[in-house]
Amino acid sequence: MKKLVNNPIKAVDEMIEGYVKAYPNYIKTVGENLRALVTAKETKENKVGVIIGGGAGHEPGFMGYIGTGFADGVPVGNIFASPPPDPILDITKEIDKGAGVIYLYGNYQGDIMNFGMAADLADLEADIRVETVRVTDDVVSAPKDRLEERRGIAGSFFVYKAAGAAADLGYSLDHVVRIANKANDSTRSMGVGLSPCSLPQTGEPSFELADHEMEIGLGVHGEPGLYKGEIRPAESIVNELMEHILADMPISRGEKVAVLVNGLGSTPQMELYIMFRSVAKILEDQGIIIYRSYVGNYLTSLEMGGCSVSLMKLDDELTTMIDHPADCAMFVQK
Amino acid sequence: MNIDSRNLINYFQQVVEMIEKEKDHLSELDRKLGDGDHGVTMSIGFQAVKDKLDHELLDEEDCSKICIVVARTFLSAVGSSVGPLYATGFLKGAKVIKNKRTLDDESLTKFWLAFVDGVKERGMAKVGDKTMVDTLEPAANILKEEFEKTGNFIEAFQYAVDAGRMGMESTQELLSRKGRSSRLGQRSLGVIDPGAASAYLLLNTFLTSLNSKRGI
């Protein structure tokens, strides 16, 4: 696999060096630590601090969402690996404005342990109150009666955005946590993989898929989904994804949703809009209102091929959060 | 037998070398169960440790301090799941050998039992979940049992390493129940868990480093 890298082991650090140089108005490091990124803008006193994060390789997730109305800080791990507690703790101390800090991340073992250790240390060393919300939007990663085992994929964008908006509105930590939990409970996602990615350090494909095959239900690190099957027309794939999502999601005619069709890294916009077309048709047929749409690369897996569909059901409160403006290096909403 | 800080540093140096030799094998196992980077992750972690061994720890005589620095360095370099797991193991081990410059049979036994307890507490996995606990728990059980019988650490540890190897091999027959690979279901059968494999290597390297000290 060809890659535009120098030393594969240095890939994450060199990416961050480039990123910080590209967007000095948005982003800076805590001290010299390249893995601890915070907003370069002034943040309001008494605002709840928002930290989102996880491994590298998901760009623009997560550092692309540092900015006003979104995240205040992002610890960056190695590729597809949770960051260690140190940068999480450094960021927590840096962004705390006296109102506490919320940690938001996808529900993965590594993140749970590292963010958990950082939360304990923040309490011990700096007396900062930290609350945590883990995203569990992937409907096929575990059955409905084991929700706590579900992993977080692209729908985490909605959860992070809602929490970021709530914090920007000056809500208390408890209030931000409640909104983040509600956003997570209201969000469902499912993906399809067409081709693997390869990690710069290993150069090997992350999973195997024949030329004519797809994997329905694939995870964002190449975790296997429901099954491998022959590639089919986009419409038929969307039907299957939407069937699982809607069966899992309590929603009725006349209610509204935000929709995200997310590319996994190497999928052309053309294909994402072809997928969105079918998503919209199904929702229209069921009388569900599309309130806001996001189509593009929001949470990728290096150069993986494929996409995921996420829906967040919107009540009045979540509508306010999804409408709230955001100004980040990789995401602007007016 | 007694070991001192030199022997302990020598152990960690041998781990560094062993991981460089085994990293492709560990990544290959992980490719079948995860995202294929366990060997790379272990290598990143222990290369960071090597830097400490070669500089900061060069003249350190306190065995517990060595373990604390190794744990914190490994954790900071890798994060991931394996970072908190092995770091917690070495930190718990450090706690039971606090301020010690030499470790006798009893301290060595306590150290490894605490190491295993630390990993288990942090990861909350049980035997049969197809994780490093499948290697570590049987090893700890045998270590405790044999040491209580004879009071001889190295003999007991020899048995413990054997039990750890059998535990590691047993993961081939198990379905993953923890971590990312737990979503694989049947597809996880037939492959040794990479964490179980690296845990075995950590134990076995301790045995070889003791044997080389004894001239075996």
Side-chain angles (χ1 to χ4, degrees), chain A:
Chain A
M1 184 71 75
K2 287 179 278 192
K3 299 220 184 243
L4 298 170
V5 296
N6 300 305
N7 176 358
I9 295 293
K10 293 262 171 231
V12 176
D13 287 345
E14 292 187 1
M15 164 185 73
I16 294 170
E17 283 169 1
Y19 195 79
V20 172
K21 284 225 183 294
Y23 305 112
N25 299 332
Y26 283 96
I27 208 161
K28 63 178 187 191
T29 60
V30 179
E32 301 290 299
N33 190 348
L34 281 173
R35 302 306 186 91
L37 302 176
V38 291
T39 179
K41 301 197 167 140
E42 233 3 84
T43 43
K44 301 171 204 159
E45 272 311 303
N46 275 317
K47 178 191 160 321
V48 168
V50 177
I51 297 183
I52 63 174
H58 300 301
E59 294 69 33
F62 303 94
M63 60 187 186
Y65 302 124
I66 293 178
T68 315
F70 225 127
D72 299 298
V74 168
V76 186
N78 293 327
I79 297 173
F80 298 165
S82 167
D86 289 347
I88 306 171
L89 183 61
D90 290 350
I91 294 169
T92 306
K93 290 176 180 169
E94 178 79 14
I95 65 162
D96 178 51
K97 297 278 171 183
V101 174
I102 184 169
Y103 291 176
L104 299 143
Y105 51 87
N107 188 32
Y108 297 92
Q109 209 80 28
D111 293 291
I112 293 170
M113 289 190 274
N114 287 284
F115 279 89
M117 289 174 91
D120 290 345
L121 290 168
D123 179 34
L124 276 173
E125 285 184 14
D127 213 13
I128 298 171
R129 187 175 155 217
V130 173
E131 294 291 335
T132 298
V133 174
R134 293 189 273 271
V135 182
T136 55
D137 58 315
D138 184 347
V139 294
V140 296
S141 53
K144 218 170 177 173
D145 59 341
R146 302 207 317 261
L147 279 181
E148 69 289 348
E149 288 178 30
R150 283 188 177 174
R151 62 197 172 208
I153 58 171
S156 56
F157 170 78
F158 287 143
V159 182
Y160 303 161
K161 183 172 187 324
D168 196 41
L169 287 164
Y171 296 173
S172 70
L173 181 56
D174 287 333
H175 197 164
V176 175
V177 168
R178 188 177 62 69
I179 286 177
N181 275 318
K182 191 205 264 188
N184 184 45
D185 292 344
S186 307
T187 301
R188 302 287 187 281
S189 305
M190 185 166 162
V192 57
L194 301 188
S195 57
C197 60
S198 71
L199 276 59
Q201 321 89 292
T202 63
E204 300 286 335
S206 53
F207 57 90
E208 273 155 35
L209 212 49
D211 266 356
H212 52 89
E213 273 184 332
M214 63 174 176
E215 175 125 8
I216 288 279
L218 186 88
V220 281
H221 311 95
E223 297 95 335
L226 284 184
Y227 68 91
K228 289 180 186 183
E230 294 284 313
I231 183 83
R232 303 195 303 263
E235 195 167 23
S236 154
I237 298 171
V238 171
N239 283 343
E240 183 163 357
L241 301 183
M242 289 294 283
E243 207 171 290
H244 284 280
I245 290 171
L246 291 171
D248 202 84
M249 190 171 200
I251 190 161
S252 38
R253 190 167 279 275
E255 291 192 286
K256 58 187 184 182
V257 290
V259 181
L260 165 63
V261 173
N262 173 60
L264 292 177
S266 68
T267 308
Q269 295 264 327
M270 178 184 281
E271 294 173 31
L272 299 180
Y273 282 104
I274 291 171
M275 295 291 280
F276 184 85
R277 171 183 171 273
S278 295
V279 173
K281 185 171 182 307
I282 291 170
L283 291 172
E284 280 158 18
D285 286 350
Q286 304 217 6
I288 295 165
I289 300 151
I290 300 177
Y291 180 79
R292 213 180 247 282
S293 308
Y294 301 87
V295 181
N297 287 350
Y298 286 79
L299 188 81
T300 61
S301 304
L302 297 174
E303 74 279 25
M304 202 183 283
C307 79
S308 61
V309 175
S310 304
L311 301 186
M312 177 163 75
K313 185 166 89 166
L314 300 172
D315 62 2
D316 289 348
E317 191 173 45
L318 290 178
T319 304
T320 306
M321 300 308 135
I322 209 75
D323 278 344
H324 192 77
D327 182 19
C328 311
M330 302 291 284
F331 176 73
V332 176
Q333 182 176 307
K334 298 218 154 113

Side-chain angles (χ1 to χ4, degrees), chain A residues 9 78-86 107-111 113-114 116-117 120-121 125 141-142 149-151 199 201-202 204-206 215 221 223-228, chain B residues 23 27-28 31 33-37 40-41 43-44 72 74-85 87-88 91 122-124 177-184 187:
Chain A
I9 295 293
N78 293 327
I79 297 173
F80 298 165
S82 167
D86 289 347
N107 188 32
Y108 297 92
Q109 209 80 28
D111 293 291
M113 289 190 274
N114 287 284
M117 289 174 91
D120 290 345
L121 290 168
E125 285 184 14
S141 53
E149 288 178 30
R150 283 188 177 174
R151 62 197 172 208
L199 276 59
Q201 321 89 292
T202 63
E204 300 286 335
S206 53
E215 175 125 8
H221 311 95
E223 297 95 335
L226 284 184
Y227 68 91
K228 289 180 186 183
Chain B
K23 69 178 178 187
S27 286
E28 183 55 37
R31 207 154 16 252
L33 294 175
D35 47 26
D37 68 346
V40 176
T41 307
S43 165
I44 291 172
R72 295 198 67 133
F74 184 79
L75 176 60
S76 293
V78 305
S80 183
S81 299
V82 75
L85 290 167
T88 306
L91 288 174
R122 179 64 63 195
M124 292 185 297
R177 275 191 238 140
K178 275 271 165 186
R180 290 207 279 247
S181 58
S182 61
R183 341 271 184 170
L184 283 169
R187 286 200 232 172

Side-chain angles (χ1 to χ4, degrees), chain B residues 8-180:
Chain B
L8 191 59
I9 284 177
N10 180 44
Y11 162 60
F12 284 118
Q13 272 161 345
Q14 290 192 23
V15 171
V16 171
E17 285 166 28
M18 173 275 291
I19 292 293
E20 287 312 293
K21 262 188 250 151
E22 297 291 333
K23 69 178 178 187
D24 290 340
H25 172 63
L26 292 172
S27 286
E28 183 55 37
L29 293 176
D30 195 28
R31 207 154 16 252
K32 292 168 185 155
L33 294 175
D35 47 26
D37 68 346
H38 187 61
V40 176
T41 307
M42 291 295 287
S43 165
I44 291 172
F46 276 103
Q47 284 302 310
V49 168
K50 180 180 191 298
D51 189 55
K52 297 281 178 185
L53 296 173
D54 291 347
H55 301 101
E56 191 182 323
L57 291 175
L58 213 52
D59 302 312
E60 181 57 64
E61 292 186 348
D62 181 335
C63 292
S64 63
K65 286 236 177 77
I66 293 168
C67 291
I68 291 169
V69 172
V70 166
R72 295 198 67 133
T73 306
F74 184 79
L75 176 60
S76 293
V78 305
S80 183
S81 299
V82 75
L85 290 167
Y86 284 142
T88 306
F90 285 120
L91 288 174
K92 288 270 172 182
K95 219 170 156 180
V96 299
I97 57 166
K98 207 171 172 180
N99 299 329
K100 283 196 196 293
R101 288 170 177 235
T102 55
L103 306 176
D104 59 13
D105 288 59
E106 193 179 349
S107 311
L108 286 166
T109 305
K110 280 189 178 159
F111 173 82
W112 282 106
L113 294 179
F115 174 88
V116 174
D117 278 344
V119 173
K120 280 166 59 187
E121 257 170 54
R122 179 64 63 195
M124 292 185 297
K126 294 183 203 68
V127 163
D129 285 348
K130 196 173 178 108
T131 70
M132 54 182 70
V133 171
D134 288 304
T135 300
L136 294 174
E137 187 168 306
N141 289 344
I142 294 290
L143 174 62
K144 188 162 185 286
E145 201 181 301
E146 289 296 321
F147 181 74
E148 276 166 8
K149 269 193 255 171
T150 65
N152 183 325
F153 171 76
I154 192 145
E155 275 177 24
F157 200 73
Q158 170 75 62
Y159 287 116
V161 170
D162 289 343
R165 193 188 59 243
M166 283 192 278
M168 167 188 75
E169 284 165 357
S170 77
T171 62
Q172 210 164 326
E173 316 300 321
L174 294 170
L175 289 176
S176 290
R177 275 191 238 140
K178 275 271 165 186
R180 290 207 279 247

